[in-house]
């Protein structure tokens, strides 16, 4: 047992980053030549990376005595990447011919790489508010997972649309979902993601306003919160447009989702990287960081 614990403690960010990088390389090879060996290796490296990824988050959670979503922005980004990789492994296990890796894996690599440059120091929490903070962080990560899914689906739609328009054939028996499915999934991803993000932001604001150790409106002028709020507003405009427009074309939805979702993802990553943390404000027992808000203890 001691050996297992010691092995888990030795897992580093590079372990699963390298595994996912190899998986992406094998996905690219698959576009040129498909083989059973390549598929087995591809899935093997993805699973190995996911196991190391899980172990890394578990060890950090045990050391901080906090769930990964509440310990730091570093862990929050890694949870988002973990969700994406879990989806990838399940999908590839069920459908050997679908193409999703070249679209999804680059985003996973960006998230993991970005996590290496943001604040990773665990923060203290007051147990009395932990449930609300967990709800806040969970809503945000699920909402961002929805935005990331919509972004990837939009890319897949536009590639498939272009392929059909130019009468290009798929190679090696590989497939992309048809345009109708991609458009429907994209629509639902946005429609589900925006309410989750909105609830996540609302719970964060509520926690700040209810805190006795921080000025209620001190967060209003913070550039990181302002920037991410603008990103959320762009997604909200897309959300309202989708619900109010009669029969928008799949291509329209794809381009608008690509722009709005890409803007929000880029805003979160760039502001987190530039600041090195989401916010410096100390709220009593220490802040709980998320890409939208910092909720005090």
């Amino acid at each position: 047992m001691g050996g297992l614990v010691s092995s888990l403690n030795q897992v580093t960010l590079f372990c699963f980053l390298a595994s996912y990088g190899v998986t992406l390389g094998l996905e690219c090879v698959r576009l040129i030549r498909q083989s059973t060996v390549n598929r087995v290796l591809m899935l093997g490296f993805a699973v190995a990376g996911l196991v190391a990824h899980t172990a890394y988050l578990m060890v950090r959670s045990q050391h901080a005595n906090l769930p990964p979503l509440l310990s730091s922005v570093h862990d929050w980004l890694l949870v988002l990447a973990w969700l994406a990789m879990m989806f990838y492994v399940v999908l590839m296990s069920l459908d050997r011919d679908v193409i999703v890796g070249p679209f999804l894996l680059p985003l996973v690599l960006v998230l993991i790489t970005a996590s290496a440059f943001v604040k990773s120091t665990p923060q203290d929490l007051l147990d009395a508010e932990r449930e609300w903070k967990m709800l806040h962080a969970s809503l945000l990560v699920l909402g961002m997972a929805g935005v990331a899914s919509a972004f990837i689906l939009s890319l897949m739609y536009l590639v498939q649309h272009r392929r059909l328009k130019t009468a290009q054939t798929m190679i090696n028996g590989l497939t992309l979902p048809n345009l109708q499915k991609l458009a429907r999934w994209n629509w639902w991803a946005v429609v589900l993601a925006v309410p989750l993000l909105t609830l996540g932001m609302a719970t964060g604001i509520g926690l700040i306003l209810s805190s006795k150790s921080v000025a209620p409106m001190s967060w209003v002028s913070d550039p990181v919160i302002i920037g991410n709020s603008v990103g959320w507003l762009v997604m909200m405009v897309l959300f309202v447009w989708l619900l109010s427009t009669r029969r928008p074309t799949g291509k329209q939805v794809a381009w608008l989702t690509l722009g709005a979702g890409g803007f929000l993802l880029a805003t979160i990553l760039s502001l987190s990287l530039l600041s090195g943390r989401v916010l410096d404000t100390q709220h009593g027992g220490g802040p709980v960081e998320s890409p939208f808000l910092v909720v005090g203890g």
Side-chain angles (χ1 to χ4, degrees), residues 126 128-133 136 201-219 283-284 293-297:
L126 295 180
E129 296 180 358
R130 181 172 296 190
E131 293 79 8
W132 283 103
K133 292 170 182 176
H136 164 63
M201 294 181 68
T203 53
I205 293 172
L207 285 167
I208 287 181
L209 294 178
S210 66
S211 175
K212 298 179 180 179
S213 57
V214 62
M217 302 302 290
S218 62
W219 48 272
H283 302 159
L293 296 173
V294 178
V295 181

Side-chain angles (χ1 to χ4, degrees), residues 3-12 51-52 54-56 58-59 62:
L4 176 60
V5 173
S6 177
S7 298
L8 292 179
N9 286 329
Q10 293 176 6
V11 175
T12 65
V51 170
T54 305
Y56 182 87
M58 288 176 58
V59 169
Q62 291 173 355

